[in-house]
Amino acid sequence: MAERTWWKRGIVYQIYPRSFQDTNGDGVGDLEGIRRRLDHLAWLGVDALWISPIYPSPMADGGYDVADYRDIDPLFGSLADFDRLVGEAHERGLKLILDFVPNHSSSQHAWFRESRSSRTNPKRDWYIWRDPAPGGGPPNNWISNFGGSAWTFDEATGQYYYHAFLKEQPDLNWRNPELREAMFDTLRFWLERGVDGFRVDVIWHLMKDPEMRDNPPNPGYTPGQPAINRLLQIHSADHPDIYGVIAGMRKVLDGYPDRVLIGEIYLPIERLVTYYGPDLTGAHLPFNFQLIHTTWRARDIEALVREYEGKLPEGGWPNWVLSNHDQPRIAARVGQAQARVAAMLLLTLRGTPTLYYGDELGMPAVHIPRDRVQDPWEKNEPGIGIGRDPSRTPMPWDRSPNAGFSSVEPWLPLNQDWHSRNVAAMRDEPASILTLTRNLIALRRERKSLMVGRYAPVLVTDEVFVYLREAGDERVMAALNLTGDPQTVHLPDHLQGGHVLVSTLAQVPANPVGGALTLRGHEGLLIELTRQAA
């Protein structure tokens, strides 16, 4: 049952390890830092921490260029540090989810060094190599997600290798059975160390068109967009052969109790839901990023929820994400007042929420001076606002130097308001977004209706979205005002009566809920309705 499955009833908390806590004085977060801050996660009430890549890496793309899939980069610590972190997380009742990056390795990985050594090397086919086009140049028109051609010529062997991202990130060939089994063994390596699941990076990229056909032009492309948008990626990603690969990963995890497989998928809903796989043999949770990209209007959000709920396969469990390490933070998109409403939305919709570190503080986008930019995408395509650094800045813990994150200047700048927007300052403040987030998590844990109950729409206007969560005779209603002006809506007769559990604003209205429900500007209310007679 859903309430007995931790990844259905629980809340996932994403940690970008470079930015959570530094303990060795190099300005970069580490595993020991995460271990020392586990009590914050337990206090907050989340159920699992997901850690972005910590493998050995040249760091051409912040660790998403993996040089060894079965070790820890010294920047973050050691395997012993990792084992200690897993053990202490489990002691606190926290699960640990590891990032898995199977689409590409680092060009410095031993596998790739062998692969590029000669055309006859046994590992040549572990990567994607092709001859030049008949007239010379790259084999096709595929574009790197970070700009420029997705093909790099290797002078020594006279062929091009494919890389969906940086040239330092050659794509692995998942059509090769030996490569596939080596990656499955990597999953087993970490599962044996106690990892509770994996978030699989760019899972929809793993299988490409075997004929390597050109991608067609994107008719919706306009100058100023990232170069990757110039073409429709119909041959370089989301190939139907992917489902067999994911089923293979799922089979590995199914050999261990209570594990979860999460897939990173930036696709429309109708494609996203196919990644649950035939008969739910795919990812347990194909990541749903739709809230990141939808317009922040009540009717648009209600329509999104309705479409998603309607297209889920039978038995498929929903999930929701507001922010992550690749996208602007929710407070940067909708403002501080609406970030509080967004927290109520995230933590009361049906399905598993993922909370990005710092969003419990309402962390804003942080200005990154040109000379401190770290993101390779921003360096490759400067000036069009695609840099991801503003969402990866250090966690502010207190008012001590460098916000308690490090004893030295951090690798990225702190948020400008860190003296007041930090965990210590907000933890005991009744009106803070941190307190609100913790209270919402506690309510979600206490009430089965919020944790695993049914979702039912109530009403939507241009400004207000109201929905019901119910389990048995327990009913909780969320009413969200997505504007700064007061709004009044009229509730159906059967949803009148009850009391407010929490408001996103400081003071909770004391009046019973009647037919006319008035919401203050930027207010969300969570209302426990009168229990229905049996």
Side-chain angles (χ1 to χ4, degrees):
M1 296 179 66
E3 60 266 31
R4 297 179 184 174
T5 305
W6 68 265
W7 52 266
K8 289 185 177 181
R9 69 173 188 266
I11 297 166
V12 177
Y13 184 97
Q14 183 191 356
I15 292 174
Y16 196 69
R18 296 173 71 95
S19 294
F20 204 59
Q21 178 68 64
D22 171 29
T23 61
N24 62 1
D26 62 359
V28 177
D30 44 51
L31 291 177
E32 174 63 11
I34 297 173
R35 186 192 69 80
R36 293 185 190 180
R37 296 297 186 180
L38 287 175
D39 286 342
H40 172 68
L41 305 188
W43 172 85
L44 189 60
V46 300
D47 300 85
L49 56 151
W50 151 36
I51 306 175
S52 293
I54 49 177
Y55 311 102
S57 170
M59 298 294 167
D61 185 24
Y64 283 91
D65 48 321
V66 178
D68 184 347
Y69 284 101
R70 303 185 192 184
D71 205 348
I72 302 296
D73 195 289
L75 183 70
F76 300 118
S78 65
L79 277 172
D81 293 325
F82 179 80
D83 292 341
R84 186 181 183 191
L85 172 61
V86 172
E88 294 201 16
H90 288 170
E91 287 174 5
R92 290 166 173 80
L94 294 166
K95 305 291 187 180
L96 191 144
I97 298 168
L98 198 59
D99 223 309
F100 182 50
V101 190
N103 180 68
H104 46 265
S105 75
S106 166
S107 57
Q108 295 186 28
H109 196 294
W111 294 348
F112 187 69
R113 290 201 301 269
E114 286 190 51
S115 182
R116 77 184 309 176
S117 65
S118 75
R119 292 197 185 195
T120 59
N121 186 277
K123 287 190 172 59
R124 183 68 169 186
D125 191 48
W126 283 34
Y127 292 83
I128 299 172
W129 293 92
R130 292 292 185 275
D131 289 329
N140 62 28
N141 70 347
W142 293 0
I143 297 173
S144 163
N145 282 261
F146 289 162
S149 173
W151 296 93
T152 290
F153 187 67
D154 180 65
E155 294 282 352
T157 60
Q159 284 188 317
Y160 284 85
Y161 67 86
Y162 175 69
H163 49 91
F165 296 90
L166 298 174
K167 69 180 188 303
E168 295 86 359
Q169 295 170 288
D171 276 39
L172 291 156
N173 179 17
W174 275 83
R175 296 186 183 278
N176 182 292
E178 292 179 352
L179 176 277
R180 193 179 296 196
E181 193 55 41
M183 295 303 272
F184 290 165
D185 282 343
T186 295
L187 294 175
R188 296 184 185 101
F189 174 86
W190 293 106
L191 290 165
E192 292 291 339
R193 300 192 94 92
V195 166
D196 297 289
F198 299 92
R199 172 268 190 188
V200 184
D201 186 57
V202 297
I203 198 170
W204 83 106
H205 273 268
L206 293 184
M207 297 296 274
K208 294 83 172 169
D209 174 29
E211 297 178 34
M212 296 287 163
R213 288 169 288 184
D214 279 356
N215 282 323
N218 178 7
Y221 174 76
T222 57
Q225 292 181 347
I228 188 65
N229 292 347
R230 284 173 32 217
L231 304 176
L232 297 175
Q233 312 301 309
I234 64 171
H235 296 306
S236 54
D238 193 29
H239 191 277
D241 290 347
I242 187 59
Y243 303 118
V245 171
I246 299 174
M249 291 184 188
R250 173 68 179 272
K251 184 177 180 181
V252 172
L253 267 71
D254 285 347
Y256 298 78
D258 299 323
R259 298 322 204 258
V260 66
L261 184 66
I262 303 171
E264 181 194 27
I265 303 163
Y266 283 97
L267 291 172
I269 288 177
E270 63 269 15
R271 296 298 309 142
L272 167 71
V273 296
T274 66
Y275 281 73
Y276 286 96
D279 301 317
L280 301 183
T281 56
H284 293 103
L285 298 175
F287 255 154
N288 170 18
F289 299 125
Q290 305 300 316
L291 281 177
I292 293 177
H293 300 296
T294 194
T295 52
W296 201 250
R297 292 194 294 260
R299 291 192 188 278
D300 292 337
I301 294 174
E302 187 278 335
L304 165 63
V305 176
R306 178 164 25 93
E307 181 186 7
Y308 182 53
E309 285 277 356
K311 289 184 177 177
L312 284 168
E314 184 176 357
W317 188 252
N319 70 94
W320 297 95
V321 182
L322 280 176
S323 304
N324 63 31
H325 62 291
D326 285 331
Q327 303 294 333
R329 286 187 177 273
I330 182 62
R333 303 198 309 271
V334 303
Q336 289 296 332
Q338 279 295 308
R340 301 168 71 95
V341 177
M344 182 172 282
L345 176 71
L346 177 70
L347 294 168
T348 61
L349 282 173
R350 188 176 81 97
T352 304
T354 295
L355 180 64
Y356 187 45
Y357 86 98
D359 277 1
E360 71 268 37
L361 307 178
M363 284 271 284
V366 179
H367 173 68
I368 310 296
R370 173 54 51 189
D371 62 352
R372 296 199 63 183
V373 168
Q374 303 286 334
D375 185 2
W377 192 6
E378 173 70 12
K379 291 178 179 180
N380 284 353
E381 298 190 72
I384 62 174
I386 55 175
R388 298 167 294 176
D389 291 338
S391 299
R392 300 176 175 185
T393 56
M395 183 77 164
W397 293 102
D398 54 42
R399 293 189 181 94
S400 65
N402 302 307
F405 167 75
S406 177
S407 60
V408 301
E409 184 179 27
W411 75 289
L412 281 175
L414 292 161
N415 49 299
Q416 190 172 9
D417 58 352
W418 66 268
H419 286 91
S420 57
R421 192 176 302 281
N422 63 68
V423 173
M426 303 176 80
R427 180 170 172 148
D428 298 321
E429 171 52 56
S432 73
I433 188 173
L434 176 58
T435 299
L436 170 67
T437 302
R438 184 171 186 251
N439 289 343
L440 287 168
I441 290 172
L443 281 169
R444 190 179 187 276
R445 188 181 297 276
E446 292 168 5
R447 284 166 172 76
K448 183 177 178 181
S449 57
L450 292 176
M451 189 164 54
V452 295
R454 186 174 73 92
Y455 164 85
V458 174
L459 62 86
V460 63
T461 70
D462 289 341
E463 301 85 12
V464 176
F465 178 27
V466 183
Y467 53 92
L468 192 66
R469 299 296 310 285
E470 53 188 354
D473 64 350
E474 181 184 286
R475 300 184 301 161
V476 176
M477 183 169 64
L480 309 178
N481 181 359
L482 277 75
T483 75
D485 298 321
Q487 304 293 337
T488 298
V489 293
H490 295 275
L491 298 173
D493 291 344
H494 70 286
L495 296 180
Q496 297 176 24
H499 65 280
V500 175
L501 294 169
V502 64
S503 167
T504 57
L505 302 182
Q507 295 179 324
V508 176
N511 297 331
V513 176
L517 179 64
T518 298
L519 299 165
R520 292 168 287 182
H522 302 300
E523 183 172 40
L525 294 178
L526 203 57
I527 301 162
E528 185 163 50
L529 296 172
T530 303
R531 291 178 181 262
Q532 295 173 304

